[in-house]
Amino acid sequence: VKECVNKPAFAVLMRQKSTDAQYKILEVLIHDTKVELHPDFTVYLNGQLVENLREIPQEIVITKYEHQIILYTPVGLSIRFSPFSMDSIIEIELSAVYHSSVCGLLGN
């Protein structure tokens, strides 16, 4: 799902790791920042492994729980990623300001 405008504020993508079809990576693009959430609960910021969640910019909040990772963004997007289910469940919540301006699986 992404904001369908000329310069989108965000995009949310799911991709499989090329060597393991069960290993799915959630990519979240927020302006010029790329956050990757992996099923083993590792987090990458702009391609670099994040050892401590405090290294992430303050406006992006990531919380890890036993079976899910929750990401909050400054653009009105929050994501709940549960990689341990059979199909890696992703729940996306968007601010009402994006009504009629998103495309992809969530579409209008």
Side-chain angles (χ1 to χ4, degrees):
V1 66
K2 70 176 188 170
E3 183 183 20
C4 293
V5 295
N6 209 13
K7 285 193 154 219
F10 69 89
V12 180
L13 311 164
M14 175 71 85
R15 66 180 171 88
Q16 292 180 336
K17 188 173 179 181
S18 59
T19 57
D20 183 357
Q22 299 286 29
Y23 194 96
K24 295 179 182 167
I25 299 167
L26 181 68
E27 290 183 1
V28 182
L29 306 169
I30 307 154
H31 298 293
D32 294 330
T33 302
K34 178 178 166 184
V35 179
E36 292 182 13
L37 305 177
H38 291 245
D40 61 2
F41 278 46
T42 54
V43 175
Y44 287 78
L45 180 66
N46 296 324
Q48 299 294 318
L49 177 65
V50 175
E51 298 288 342
N52 184 333
L53 291 179
R54 293 186 192 140
E55 298 171 19
I56 294 176
Q58 259 186 330
E59 62 270 9
I60 299 172
V61 177
I62 297 177
T63 307
K64 295 180 182 180
Y65 295 98
E66 187 176 352
H67 296 289
Q68 65 183 354
I69 304 171
I70 300 177
L71 175 124
Y72 300 96
T73 72
V75 297
L77 166 72
S78 63
I79 301 169
R80 190 175 308 225
F81 180 44
S82 302
F84 297 115
S85 65
M86 290 293 285
D87 293 320
S88 297
I89 296 171
I90 302 168
E91 296 175 29
I92 298 173
E93 291 183 29
L94 287 172
S95 167
V97 300
Y98 296 109
H99 180 73
S100 297
S101 67
V102 295
C103 57
L105 287 178
L106 294 179
N108 292 326

